[in-house]
Amino acid sequence: MRRSLLALLLSIALPASLAAQRPGEVAGRVAEAGTDAPLEMAAVELPELGIRVWTDGAGRFAIRGVEEGAHRVRVSRAGYAGWSTQVRVRNGEAAWLSIPLARDVLVLDTVSAVTTVPDPQRDGTVVTRAAIEASGARTAADVVARAPGVTVRESGPTGSRTVSIRGSGADAVLVLVDGAPLNDPVSGEADLSAVPASAIERVTVLPGAHSARYGARAGAGVVLIETRAGEVPPAAEVSGGTLGERAARGEWGAPLGRAAIQAGAHTRAVDGRFAYERDPSDPTRVHRTNADEFEAGAFAALAGHLAGGELRVRGGWETLERGLPGTGHTPSPDARQWMERGRASLAWRRGPASALVSGAVQRARYADPAPPFGLAYDDTTRVRMVNARAESSTGFRRGRLGLGVDALAQHVEAALSEQAPRTQYGGGVFAHASDEARVLRRTFALSAEARVDRDGVSGNWYASRALTVRMDGPVRVQLANRSAYSPPSLGDQFFRGGVGIVPNPGLRPERIPNEWEIGASTAATLGSVSLSAYATAYDSDVRGMIVWMRRFNDRWSPGNVDAHRRGLDLRADAVLPGNGLRVNASYSLARITYDRPGRDDDGVQVVYRPRHSGWAGAEWGAGAWRAEARARYTGARNPTPTEANVIPGFWATQLRVARDWRMGVWALSTALDVDRALDEKGHLIAGYPEPGRRARLDVRIQRTQLPSRNRPR
């Protein structure tokens, strides 16, 4: 009898104890009050835990790994009133919320200012998976090109694509893929053309000096790329277009117990041949050869639970081969590039505590048996890197205090001089704190960040800081002061000298000792039109900007020069819900001028940094039809450190028309993309011709619903 009673008690207690070992989650759906239309990109926060997620295209969200207890949930979205509630979370269970957001405005004559506005200064420009698919982006470069203040540098339609933010060099922008640096340790630059858009879940662009949080190379900005993880409906897509382009990709996801898995693959090939005029002074028509490209890749992901927290495991592999055709006036018919890259990451989060371990291996080969000048070369670079990061925070009153550490180890084998270090160990320790206060019926938020880094090449230590004050209200205002640094690359310091060029082992890192930034954002409604806008102005000095220059004995070498960096980023959006029309525009002024000895600021723009840039676009949707038109402007560029031979600015237009066809639980989408629709042939860098108008047709089929057992109850 006693044994039977004991067995009965164990049968009752055991399930409860097992459930108590698993944290709970908060999930739900955000929709517009009155219409029940799903709201994408609504921010859902657990403020006491410092956690924020964004709703997807169906308005759904999920916050996993939440400890048991009462938690405050706060929801906000531009154009809608804020919403908050208290929710009770139990271990092993999901708390489901159905959240209606109403348009709530404060009437000011004929203009209505909404009470909740986006904050691009704090959150940066965020591009979700739904927006990536709607834009027809092919690579990460296409995604980030739409962010204000961003310039994508490319050397032809199949060449590498690097990013410049606020007039910086590409080696002063840190690009992280699932926490692992994409920046090449030899060049310091990140080639975004090597990251397929099909593998991306979300991209965040943070302009400005952000070394206090992210460390080295974040001197002008950070690009955070999060690849896909978790269950998705199966889908397949094929594409074909001009320049002999053809592509195919597929993806699939499924539940696996309490976890979800996903996998996908893609392949793309471009012939790349086109005719162009040899030189502005020579109208002879020649053909661009050795401009072909082939790429392929695959990715896999697992999302589940481990040790009471949320676990995400991601992995991917890409291979690339392309010709390096050289400039138009100095073609290189035999130069080639081969690249293979594998990446993997493991991320874990439980409440405010998180940990990340990521790694990457890369092999890149460059060869040309008969270059147009110099000696033949056949160089291979091999890189292996491991990155680890851990962070945790705790709340006090209305604020939070957090600490973190990260470490990077990498081994590089490349065609460098004997003085080049092969293995580097670097990393940093950082802290951040934030608090809020009510003053004069306004909420003020103060945040501070500090970090100390060890450079893996020189062994030197560098300190960075950031202090931000934000005032919330109908107009949100933010003032920030930051510092940052970007170290020289191994290539600039230790490349093997050639004819007329020499390395510079004595290069110093670029330093931004004092960057001031002020920004304001707001949203309003005028009748049925929703309006939003923001403006950011910045001013800083760059000490020791690394640029190539003519030096002793008429040789070229990288060197340090001082420069001034100041500018303005503007963006405005208007949505006409009744007409399905959205218009937006962006303008950026980036004044990056030399501060040379004895001449102070001489007003000459640093080479290939356009002072003026921007875009304007319109999107329209009605029923199954969608259309978009966009025009981008790239301002004049200096090809030399003087005002001579300035390259004039140019416009480039893009058109996209798409239609959805429903077939039960499946949807077929067709889309026609036309780039440089008016046959524009302007190019950012002199000597790299553009083919003009290009077109591509995409056909995609995707399951619109997951099996009923996978839907939240």
Side-chain angles (χ1 to χ4, degrees):
M1 179 66 182
R2 185 176 300 173
R3 292 182 179 179
S4 300
L5 179 60
L6 179 61
L8 177 62
L9 292 175
L10 287 175
S11 66
I12 296 174
L14 186 58
S17 63
L18 290 176
Q21 296 173 13
R22 300 193 306 269
E25 65 178 67
V26 179
R29 180 176 181 269
V30 180
E32 184 178 78
T35 66
D36 199 41
L39 294 179
E40 182 184 8
M41 283 303 294
V44 183
E45 302 175 83
L46 300 182
E48 282 74 20
L49 297 181
I51 299 176
R52 171 185 294 180
V53 299
W54 305 86
T55 56
D56 60 17
R60 290 179 175 169
F61 68 92
I63 304 176
R64 300 181 177 89
V66 181
E67 296 179 354
E68 186 175 29
H71 299 276
R72 184 162 62 99
V73 181
R74 187 168 61 194
V75 183
S76 61
R77 189 182 188 276
Y80 295 84
W83 185 94
S84 65
T85 190
Q86 196 86 0
V87 63
R88 186 79 184 178
V89 177
R90 300 182 184 278
N91 284 336
E93 298 180 6
W96 177 263
L97 298 174
S98 182
I99 302 171
L101 290 190
R103 293 184 177 273
D104 187 16
V105 297
L106 175 64
V107 178
L108 298 175
D109 296 328
T110 58
V111 178
S112 303
V114 292
T115 58
T116 305
V117 297
D119 187 354
Q121 289 82 26
R122 181 181 61 185
D123 302 325
T125 299
V126 180
V127 187
T128 64
R129 180 65 206 166
I132 292 172
E133 291 185 352
S135 69
R138 272 287 176 256
T139 68
D142 299 323
V143 178
V144 304
R146 298 195 173 203
V150 171
T151 300
V152 175
R153 302 181 61 178
E154 56 185 54
S155 54
T158 57
S160 64
R161 305 180 74 184
T162 59
V163 62
S164 167
I165 297 179
R166 294 182 174 178
S168 70
D171 56 352
V173 177
L174 177 65
V175 180
L176 299 176
V177 180
D178 295 332
L182 183 67
N183 300 69
D184 187 283
V186 176
S187 68
E189 302 178 349
D191 182 6
L192 297 183
S193 71
V195 182
S198 60
I200 299 175
E201 181 67 29
R202 185 189 311 274
V203 173
T204 303
V205 181
L206 299 170
H210 285 284
S211 289
R213 176 57 68 94
Y214 296 100
R217 297 217 178 281
V222 181
V223 177
L224 306 174
I225 300 175
E226 179 184 350
T227 61
R228 308 181 71 179
E231 186 180 356
V232 297
E237 180 177 312
V238 293
S239 304
T242 54
L243 299 184
E245 180 178 4
R246 59 270 189 200
R249 69 183 179 94
E251 57 199 43
W252 165 86
L256 185 64
R258 287 179 50 82
I261 59 173
Q262 178 191 355
H266 80 282
T267 181
R268 176 173 176 262
V270 182
D271 292 340
R273 291 175 56 90
F274 62 91
Y276 66 98
E277 295 181 358
R278 186 191 306 274
D279 190 86
S281 59
D282 183 359
T284 304
R285 300 281 290 178
V286 295
H287 281 84
R288 185 86 160 156
T289 58
N290 193 35
D292 61 300
E293 179 184 39
F294 171 80
E295 62 182 73
F299 67 91
L302 169 70
H305 297 273
L306 178 70
E310 180 183 2
L311 176 70
R312 288 179 179 265
V313 182
R314 300 178 174 95
W317 167 82
E318 290 91 28
T319 183
L320 170 72
E321 179 185 350
R322 61 185 165 203
L324 305 175
T327 60
H329 48 79
T330 311
S332 184
D334 301 308
R336 307 289 294 178
Q337 175 192 359
W338 297 264
M339 190 274 290
E340 294 176 334
R341 178 181 173 87
R343 51 181 171 79
S345 68
L346 186 153
W348 176 85
R349 184 181 189 113
R350 180 176 181 178
S354 63
L356 169 72
V357 178
S358 60
V361 293
Q362 178 176 302
R363 176 182 177 272
R365 178 188 171 203
Y366 298 85
D368 191 346
F373 58 87
L375 302 176
Y377 61 88
D378 191 340
D379 298 328
T380 299
T381 299
R382 293 179 174 86
V383 179
R384 297 191 299 273
M385 68 174 66
V386 177
N387 184 67
R389 181 184 179 100
E391 183 176 0
S392 185
S393 63
T394 184
F396 61 92
R397 295 195 305 271
R398 303 182 66 180
R400 296 199 68 79
L401 175 66
L403 297 172
V405 59
D406 65 16
L408 173 67
Q410 63 181 14
H411 181 77
V412 180
E413 300 175 10
L416 301 172
S417 64
E418 294 298 326
Q419 293 77 25
R422 297 297 189 262
T423 303
Q424 304 100 45
Y425 300 97
V429 179
F430 57 93
H432 54 89
S434 62
D435 202 358
E436 292 185 356
R438 291 284 294 179
V439 180
L440 299 176
R441 302 178 65 182
R442 289 283 185 269
T443 299
F444 287 82
L446 175 67
S447 64
E449 300 174 341
R451 182 180 173 113
V452 178
D453 281 285
R454 180 187 183 275
D455 179 55
V457 177
S458 66
N460 295 329
W461 292 85
Y462 299 96
S464 306
R465 68 170 196 289
L467 182 65
T468 305
V469 179
R470 189 183 74 252
M471 182 188 74
D472 290 335
V475 178
R476 178 173 289 173
V477 180
Q478 177 171 296
L479 176 65
N481 178 262
R482 309 185 185 104
S483 67
Y485 81 103
S486 182
S489 68
L490 290 176
D492 285 340
Q493 292 178 292
F494 304 109
F495 67 84
R496 292 177 182 172
V499 178
I501 58 173
V502 292
N504 185 356
L507 276 176
R508 306 185 309 275
E510 292 185 8
R511 302 297 301 273
I512 296 88
N514 224 20
E515 177 185 73
W516 286 96
E517 178 185 287
I518 185 169
S521 59
T522 187
T525 59
L526 183 61
S528 62
V529 181
S530 299
L531 306 172
S532 63
Y534 81 82
T536 301
Y538 56 91
D539 190 314
S540 65
D541 293 328
V542 183
R543 298 305 179 198
M545 177 180 284
I546 300 173
V547 296
W548 280 74
M549 62 187 73
R550 193 182 299 274
R551 298 167 65 86
F552 52 88
N553 295 331
D554 220 22
R555 293 186 176 185
W556 287 85
S557 179
N560 295 108
V561 299
D562 293 339
H564 293 300
R565 183 170 76 194
R566 63 199 64 150
L568 180 70
D569 292 330
L570 304 173
R571 175 162 178 168
D573 290 79
V575 180
L576 290 73
N579 301 322
L581 180 66
R582 175 177 181 175
V583 294
N584 44 44
S586 170
Y587 167 74
S588 294
L589 167 67
R591 189 177 187 272
I592 318 297
T593 55
Y594 294 101
D595 183 10
R596 291 178 273 207
R599 301 172 63 178
D600 294 326
D601 184 347
D602 52 21
V604 177
Q605 190 84 348
V606 175
V607 293
Y608 286 112
R609 271 73 159 182
R611 182 169 294 186
H612 304 280
S613 62
W615 48 259
E619 305 169 28
W620 171 83
W625 288 94
R626 304 185 307 277
E628 179 182 6
R630 185 174 297 268
R632 175 177 290 274
Y633 177 72
T634 301
R637 287 86 64 215
N638 293 337
T640 63
T642 68
E643 296 284 1
N645 302 317
V646 174
I647 304 173
F650 66 94
W651 285 89
T653 56
Q654 181 181 6
L655 302 177
R656 180 176 174 85
V657 179
R659 193 187 193 287
D660 296 329
W661 314 78
R662 295 300 300 269
M663 300 179 296
V665 297
W666 294 86
L668 178 70
S669 300
T670 55
L672 177 64
D673 261 298
V674 183
D675 191 23
R676 302 194 175 228
L678 302 181
D679 205 27
E680 305 98 331
K681 294 183 172 62
H683 43 270
L684 178 70
I685 304 175
Y688 292 95
E690 283 287 340
R693 184 183 299 112
R694 297 178 60 188
R696 188 185 77 239
L697 177 65
D698 302 329
V699 180
R700 176 182 175 85
I701 186 168
Q702 177 175 337
R703 183 167 182 144
T704 59
Q705 299 177 4
L706 294 172
S708 59
R709 70 172 185 268
N710 301 327
R711 299 177 192 166
R713 292 180 292 179

